[in-house]
Amino acid sequence: MGEQLFLVHCAGCHGPKGEGSRGPTLATAVLPRAPDDAALRKVITLGISGTEMPRFDMKPEDIQQIASWVRHLGQIPT
């Protein structure tokens, strides 16, 4: 489920495998703006002011699914 939500809402900027494009790469073990799951959920929910990262008005369980998928991307060997 997280992968499908990511492909629909995030891949346009971050690439289908989180490799980066308009947005930064997410396929890394440590995300500078989201060092933990709570921070990652906050970034997805509120966006990042002054950047192209928008806020997403989704159910908390959908936000969690995306966050879990993003964390998974950081564990895939490159």
Side-chain angles (χ1 to χ4, degrees):
M1 182 70 167
E3 179 181 15
Q4 293 305 312
L5 288 166
F6 180 88
L7 290 172
V8 170
H9 299 286
C10 311
C13 291
H14 294 286
K17 296 180 183 171
E19 67 275 14
S21 181
R22 280 185 18 219
T25 184
L26 300 177
T28 182
V30 178
L31 298 171
R33 293 184 186 250
D36 57 41
D37 288 350
L40 180 54
R41 288 189 304 270
K42 184 176 179 180
V43 165
I44 296 167
T45 303
L46 300 178
I48 301 173
S49 180
T51 73
E52 290 187 57
M53 178 65 191
R55 66 183 306 279
F56 286 94
D57 187 22
M58 298 179 176
K59 298 183 288 186
E61 44 286 359
D62 290 345
I63 296 289
Q64 179 57 51
Q65 290 288 330
I66 292 172
S68 294
W69 182 252
V70 169
R71 291 292 182 215
H72 169 76
L73 292 172
Q75 298 172 6
I76 298 173
T78 56

